[in-house]
């Protein structure tokens, strides 16, 4: 049995791979090309951007991955993919052609959420996971009984505390072949 890794993918501006949704599909193909098995991908959901910068809505999805590298190597890979898609360091919670977050890496607990304010610090499970509808809706779609390693609540329980994301068509992101 392989370790299950949950990744959150999002984008809200065009980058090197045209539309935000095409960037999500490209990222899934690249993960597969790097030896990971993309087991399942949620529908794509549209949500308002976080923060104070005026920007387009985000398109978000969650993917269940197996055969993932150790957390630090996976973080390096996803940051490389974000840069290849056109992401640059900018405004916190600003527009992005691609954003990939490691939501959970098996049941591991890595780092401490209070240290999450420093860019590049790996914290698993992702410190914002339980507070973000744009993560909880697609995660609960795929795995309503997945249990948060720290909070001990399921994705479904966490979601019931935070309703409110608009859904887009499932066909917007396809599994890599």
């Amino acid at each position: 049995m392989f370790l299950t890794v949950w990744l959150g993918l999002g984008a809200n501006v065009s980058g090197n791979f045209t539309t935000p949704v095409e960037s999500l599909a490209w990222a899934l193909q690249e993960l597969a090309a790097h030896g990971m098995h993309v087991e399942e991908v949620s529908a794509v959901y549209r949500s308002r951007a976080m923060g104070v910068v005026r920007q387009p809505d985000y398109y978000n999805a969650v993917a269940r991955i197996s055969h993932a590298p150790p957390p630090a190597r996976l973080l390096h890979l996803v940051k490389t993919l974000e840069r290849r898609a056109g992401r640059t360091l900018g405004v916190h919670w600003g527009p992005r052609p691609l954003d990939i977050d490691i939501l959970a890496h098996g049941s591991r607990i890595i780092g401490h959420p209070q240290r999450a304010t420093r860019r590049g610090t790996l914290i698993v499970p992702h410190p914002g996971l339980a507070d973000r509808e744009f993560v909880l809706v697609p995660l609960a779609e795929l795995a309503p009984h997945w249990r948060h390693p720290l909070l001990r609540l399921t994705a479904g329980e966490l979601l019931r505390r935070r309703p409110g994301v608009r859904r887009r068509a499932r066909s917007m992101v396809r599994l890599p072949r």
Side-chain angles (χ1 to χ4, degrees):
M1 178 106 185
F2 289 97
L3 184 72
T4 297
V5 173
W6 296 98
L7 298 179
L9 298 98
N12 73 335
V13 292
S14 294
N16 295 338
F17 305 103
T18 46
T19 70
V21 172
E22 289 169 335
S23 290
L24 301 181
W26 172 83
L28 292 169
Q29 291 169 344
E30 285 297 306
L31 291 166
H34 282 84
M36 284 170 257
H37 291 217
V38 180
E39 302 289 341
E40 194 173 16
V41 180
S42 72
V44 176
Y45 294 86
R46 186 172 157 195
S47 64
R48 289 199 175 135
M50 293 175 61
V52 296
V53 176
R54 189 172 168 93
Q55 58 185 306
D57 287 350
Y58 265 83
Y59 294 92
N60 298 284
V62 166
R64 181 170 57 94
I65 308 289
S66 64
H67 300 322
R73 279 195 12 220
L74 180 58
L75 179 64
H76 178 75
L77 173 62
V78 299
K79 294 304 171 195
T80 298
L81 295 179
E82 289 174 351
R83 285 190 301 277
R84 285 182 54 206
R87 181 170 175 183
T88 58
L89 287 180
V91 177
H92 185 60
W93 292 335
R96 297 174 183 170
L98 182 61
D99 183 38
I100 305 172
D101 290 329
I102 302 170
L103 302 176
H105 201 286
S107 59
R108 288 183 170 169
I109 298 169
I110 301 167
H112 194 278
Q114 291 173 334
R115 295 189 189 108
T117 56
R118 190 169 157 250
R119 279 191 178 178
T121 302
L122 180 60
I123 309 292
V124 176
H126 190 282
L129 187 157
D131 299 320
R132 298 177 179 170
E133 294 93 351
F134 60 84
V135 171
L136 290 173
V137 169
L139 178 60
E141 173 192 327
L142 297 180
H145 302 292
W146 172 85
R147 193 165 296 279
H148 192 289
L150 289 170
L151 302 176
R152 306 306 307 155
L153 296 171
T154 67
E157 291 166 337
L158 291 167
L159 178 59
R160 282 190 287 280
R161 296 175 173 200
R162 304 203 164 276
V165 171
R166 295 168 288 181
R167 181 176 174 170
R168 296 297 259 180
R170 178 179 297 278
S171 63
M172 296 175 88
V173 174
R174 299 188 195 286
L175 285 172
R177 303 267 178 226

